[in-house]
Amino acid sequence: MRLVSAFSTGMIAALLAATAARADTWFVEHVTLIDGIHAPQPDMTVVIDGERISTVGPSLTAPDLKSRLNGARRFDARRIDARRIDGTGKYLIPGLIDVHIHLRGGFEVGGNVDAELAPPNREEGLAALASFLYAGVTTVFDAGNRAEHILPLRAQERAGEILSPRIFATGNLVTYPGSHGDKMAVRISDFEKDKALLDRHIAEQQPDILKLTLEEEGWGSRPMIPLMPTDLLQKITRYYNQHGIRTTVHVSSELRSLEAIYAGSDTLAHPVIQGPVSDSFVKLMGAKKIPFASTLTIGENYSRLAEHPDYLDQPLYVASLAAAERDQLKTKTRAEWQARPWTWWMKIMTPIAKENVRKIHAAGGIVACGTDQSSGPATQRELELLADAGIAPLDVIRIATYNSALFLGKADQLGSIDIGKLADFVLLSKDPTLDINNAKSILFVVKNGQMIDERQLPLAGGRQKRRFTGG
Ligand SMILES: [Zn+2]
């Protein structure tokens, strides 16, 4: 389906006059557009004006339109020629969105929110942020971190001072004393008594989305811990909503997912991973359309390292991780994870979680892309696992773009390539609807209308070359 009718001659003349007058207007033409919502549309033109997409439509083909284009180009040929990208044989997708990360540098590597806290490491954080951009991820939501780590980076990203995907963050998460994620949480045991702590969290940390946890553990190889009472969850959820803030909740079972949904949660931070979901839960998720983060990678990455450490030699990992860290992962960390029951529990449960995600997607539920990890390659791995679950690659792209923008409550600004939206997208050399691995065939990444120069990214694997040589 075409989004808009073909450009009229008047439209294109006006467009190119405006193009000539503005240094920050440019376009990609003759590209196959995979806009995040619709089926692929061949031979399209996308015009970027400043930080936004100003026009999306079929490319010009008629000779008279060509001549007008050339006439307009003479208005300022040098500038326009530099700003025209030939997308022939290439694919444009929205920038990928990861709705569940814990940015590195705030805690133990590996994303374990229960690990002991180390001092914040800003350089590690910047390298991880660079790895997202390098892998085509233009937006992330940090679902719990040390406030003094993530919040200054969020401020710098918004000020345009660092090379980073858009950062949304909860800062500290909120939970019940002793419950899941307690170490980096604001601990609330009584709503009225502890309300001042919530007010302070809202005022000082300005969470974009509040992350809560509703998890007593007591499954897999983990002992039981205290659980937040659901009436407290409901009161906190309502309080943040009344401050204009969406919420997401860590849950891992069907029971706690239901409780979170009926306590008013806007999203869930995980799929059900403790066991197969019931048919009624699948129907409920299709009816309610509560977005949930897929987070298959976090559980799968342990046995992947234990059994197939060679993935660390893939180009995205080589660029994103220091050589010494990859060596350590292949040796010391691998041996540790091979010895842990958790690794093998999650290996058993990952196919079950995958099937839960697939069923809810098939029933019309809103799956969003989240990793619970902290690197661009991990987000790309999540795409692979979603495809491996039996979800069509085109739908996987929608999950990692438009659906993830729905999760964030930002679908009016992000998540698809459409007129008026922020210009976040990725040009690919291969068709990602044929094979989701082609989502890694990245030529360039654009955020806020700006093409990212990967030579400038402070990647842990070292400086990289530009991947796009045309246009
Ligand atoms: Zn998490």
Side-chain angles (χ1 to χ4, degrees):
M1 188 187 86
R2 300 272 176 173
L3 289 177
V4 297
S5 59
F7 297 161
S8 70
T9 52
M11 271 175 71
I12 199 70
L15 167 70
L16 287 164
T19 300
R22 302 177 63 128
D24 58 352
T25 299
W26 57 289
F27 56 103
V28 182
E29 62 176 357
H30 303 305
V31 76
T32 297
L33 177 64
I34 298 167
D35 67 4
I37 298 175
H38 303 93
Q41 303 171 85
D43 202 10
M44 296 287 281
T45 292
V46 175
V47 184
I48 299 91
D49 190 356
E51 62 181 15
R52 290 185 187 269
I53 295 161
S54 60
T55 310
V56 179
S59 299
L60 296 166
T61 48
D64 62 329
L65 297 187
K66 282 277 188 198
S67 70
R68 278 181 184 259
L69 182 81
N70 291 333
R73 230 179 241 160
R74 278 196 293 276
F75 187 79
D76 186 345
R78 183 187 53 81
R79 187 181 284 164
I80 293 177
D81 283 343
R83 290 289 187 164
R84 174 187 165 279
I85 306 287
D86 182 4
T88 304
K90 302 180 176 72
Y91 303 83
L92 202 65
I93 64 170
L96 303 175
I97 301 174
D98 192 326
V99 301
H100 191 150
I101 76 156
H102 299 276
L103 188 70
R104 271 183 75 147
F107 48 89
E108 185 202 50
V109 172
N112 181 0
V113 294
D114 293 324
E116 285 301 325
L117 298 181
N121 185 329
R122 182 182 147 82
E123 298 311 310
E124 257 193 30
L126 288 171
L129 290 168
S131 81
F132 283 110
L133 280 181
Y134 190 72
V137 181
T138 52
T139 299
V140 296
F141 170 58
D142 188 299
N145 212 313
R146 301 188 70 176
E148 64 270 34
H149 181 53
I150 192 68
L151 299 183
L153 290 168
R154 181 181 67 177
Q156 286 195 289
E157 185 275 314
R158 288 181 184 173
E161 293 168 5
I162 55 173
L163 280 170
S164 166
R166 295 173 196 290
I167 300 175
F168 298 107
T170 187
N172 289 119
L173 48 85
V174 169
T175 194
Y176 193 67
S179 196
H180 187 78
D182 167 86
K183 282 202 177 68
M184 57 178 80
V186 178
R187 291 158 208 161
I188 304 295
S189 54
D190 181 280
F191 181 73
E192 290 304 331
K193 186 164 71 66
D194 296 329
K195 207 182 201 172
L197 295 173
L198 300 177
D199 287 334
R200 214 169 98 188
H201 180 237
I202 292 169
E204 291 180 1
Q205 302 192 17
Q206 300 185 359
D208 301 293
I209 296 175
L210 170 66
K211 165 82 172 299
L212 296 129
T213 72
L214 186 66
E215 171 70 78
E216 72 275 41
E217 301 192 352
W219 58 280
S221 53
R222 292 173 161 176
M224 293 283 281
I225 56 171
L227 176 71
M228 177 179 282
T230 48
D231 65 326
L232 179 59
L233 178 75
Q234 183 168 6
K235 284 175 184 159
I236 296 171
T237 299
R238 183 185 295 190
Y239 197 63
Y240 277 72
N241 282 170
Q242 285 168 338
H243 286 79
I245 301 165
R246 285 167 73 80
T247 68
T248 192
V249 186
H250 166 104
V251 284
S252 61
S253 70
E254 179 171 323
L255 172 64
R256 301 303 171 212
S257 298
L258 281 173
E259 288 176 349
I261 289 168
Y262 288 97
S265 299
D266 299 295
T267 63
L268 304 178
H270 295 285
V272 170
I273 57 175
Q274 287 193 34
V277 287
S278 69
D279 288 348
S280 64
F281 184 76
V282 171
K283 287 178 186 166
L284 181 149
M285 290 296 278
K288 287 288 254 186
K289 304 207 186 296
I290 297 272
F292 69 99
S294 51
T295 66
L296 297 167
T297 303
I298 178 77
E300 189 261 357
N301 92 100
Y302 309 114
S303 62
R304 187 188 194 201
L305 181 69
E307 296 180 322
H308 310 289
D310 46 299
Y311 76 84
L312 289 163
D313 299 325
Q314 293 175 10
L316 281 182
Y317 288 92
V318 173
S320 300
L321 300 175
E325 182 179 349
R326 288 190 297 119
D327 284 346
Q328 175 168 315
L329 283 166
K330 287 177 183 174
T331 53
K332 182 168 171 282
T333 307
R334 186 182 179 207
E336 285 169 9
W337 288 4
Q338 280 173 330
R340 283 196 319 192
W342 189 251
T343 297
W344 307 110
W345 179 268
M346 292 313 298
K347 185 187 174 180
I348 290 168
M349 299 316 292
T350 293
I352 293 164
K354 274 181 175 171
E355 181 62 1
N356 291 345
V357 172
R358 186 199 66 76
K359 279 182 173 169
I360 292 170
H361 171 73
I366 310 293
V367 183
C369 172
T371 56
D372 210 354
Q373 301 267 287
S374 182
S375 80
T379 312
Q380 287 278 350
R381 179 60 175 168
E382 192 72 23
L383 270 54
E384 293 172 28
L385 293 173
L386 287 163
D388 199 44
I391 298 173
L394 180 64
D395 287 359
V396 173
I397 291 165
R398 182 184 170 117
I399 283 169
T401 57
Y402 186 70
N403 283 8
S404 292
L406 287 174
F407 181 105
L408 298 173
K410 302 286 181 194
D412 54 338
Q413 298 291 318
L414 300 171
S416 66
I417 297 174
D418 200 357
I419 296 167
K421 285 203 172 178
L422 288 161
D424 290 4
F425 52 78
V426 184
L427 187 70
L428 303 173
S429 64
K430 296 181 195 160
D431 186 352
T433 66
L434 296 180
D435 179 349
I436 201 63
N437 283 297
N438 292 342
K440 294 190 270 286
S441 67
I442 295 169
L443 293 168
F444 63 71
V445 179
V446 171
K447 178 203 158 196
N448 254 353
Q450 299 290 316
M451 200 183 292
I452 302 299
D453 181 350
E454 52 266 76
R455 294 171 301 187
Q456 306 297 324
L457 292 173
L459 292 159
R463 298 282 167 173
Q464 302 296 313
K465 294 188 184 120
R466 292 206 84 160
R467 291 167 288 188
F468 184 63
T469 50

PDB file of all heavy atoms in Angstrom, residues 100 102 211 372, ligand 1:
ATOM      1  N   HIS A 100      14.424  -2.517  26.765  1.00  0.00           N
ATOM      2  CA  HIS A 100      14.840  -3.045  28.066  1.00  0.00           C
ATOM      3  C   HIS A 100      16.351  -3.247  28.058  1.00  0.00           C
ATOM      4  O   HIS A 100      16.845  -4.290  27.629  1.00  0.00           O
ATOM      5  CB  HIS A 100      14.121  -4.354  28.387  1.00  0.00           C
ATOM      6  CG  HIS A 100      14.305  -4.815  29.809  1.00  0.00           C
ATOM      7  ND1 HIS A 100      13.353  -5.539  30.479  1.00  0.00           N
ATOM      8  CD2 HIS A 100      15.324  -4.644  30.696  1.00  0.00           C
ATOM      9  CE1 HIS A 100      13.781  -5.809  31.704  1.00  0.00           C
ATOM     10  NE2 HIS A 100      14.989  -5.281  31.860  1.00  0.00           N
ATOM     11  N   HIS A 102      20.064  -2.304  30.517  1.00  0.00           N
ATOM     12  CA  HIS A 102      20.676  -1.736  31.728  1.00  0.00           C
ATOM     13  C   HIS A 102      22.067  -1.334  31.281  1.00  0.00           C
ATOM     14  O   HIS A 102      22.933  -2.199  31.087  1.00  0.00           O
ATOM     15  CB  HIS A 102      20.730  -2.765  32.861  1.00  0.00           C
ATOM     16  CG  HIS A 102      19.370  -3.252  33.268  1.00  0.00           C
ATOM     17  ND1 HIS A 102      18.572  -2.568  34.153  1.00  0.00           N
ATOM     18  CD2 HIS A 102      18.652  -4.346  32.880  1.00  0.00           C
ATOM     19  CE1 HIS A 102      17.420  -3.222  34.306  1.00  0.00           C
ATOM     20  NE2 HIS A 102      17.447  -4.305  33.538  1.00  0.00           N
ATOM     21  N   LYS A 211      10.002   1.864  36.242  1.00  0.00           N
ATOM     22  CA  LYS A 211      10.157   0.402  36.278  1.00  0.00           C
ATOM     23  C   LYS A 211       9.928  -0.084  37.703  1.00  0.00           C
ATOM     24  O   LYS A 211      10.571   0.387  38.648  1.00  0.00           O
ATOM     25  CB  LYS A 211      11.565   0.028  35.816  1.00  0.00           C
ATOM     26  CG  LYS A 211      12.008  -1.403  36.135  1.00  0.00           C
ATOM     27  CD  LYS A 211      11.492  -2.411  35.119  1.00  0.00           C
ATOM     28  CE  LYS A 211      12.107  -3.791  35.347  1.00  0.00           C
ATOM     29  NZ  LYS A 211      13.565  -3.831  35.214  1.00  0.00           N
ATOM     30  N   ASP A 372      17.301  -6.829  27.871  1.00  0.00           N
ATOM     31  CA  ASP A 372      17.792  -6.897  29.252  1.00  0.00           C
ATOM     32  C   ASP A 372      19.320  -6.974  29.251  1.00  0.00           C
ATOM     33  O   ASP A 372      19.914  -7.462  30.205  1.00  0.00           O
ATOM     34  CB  ASP A 372      17.191  -8.102  29.992  1.00  0.00           C
ATOM     35  CG  ASP A 372      17.042  -7.848  31.492  1.00  0.00           C
ATOM     36  OD1 ASP A 372      17.510  -6.803  31.974  1.00  0.00           O
ATOM     37  OD2 ASP A 372      16.475  -8.721  32.173  1.00  0.00           O
TER      38      ASP A 372
HETATM   39 ZN    ZN B   1      16.021  -5.837  33.421  1.00  0.00          ZN
END
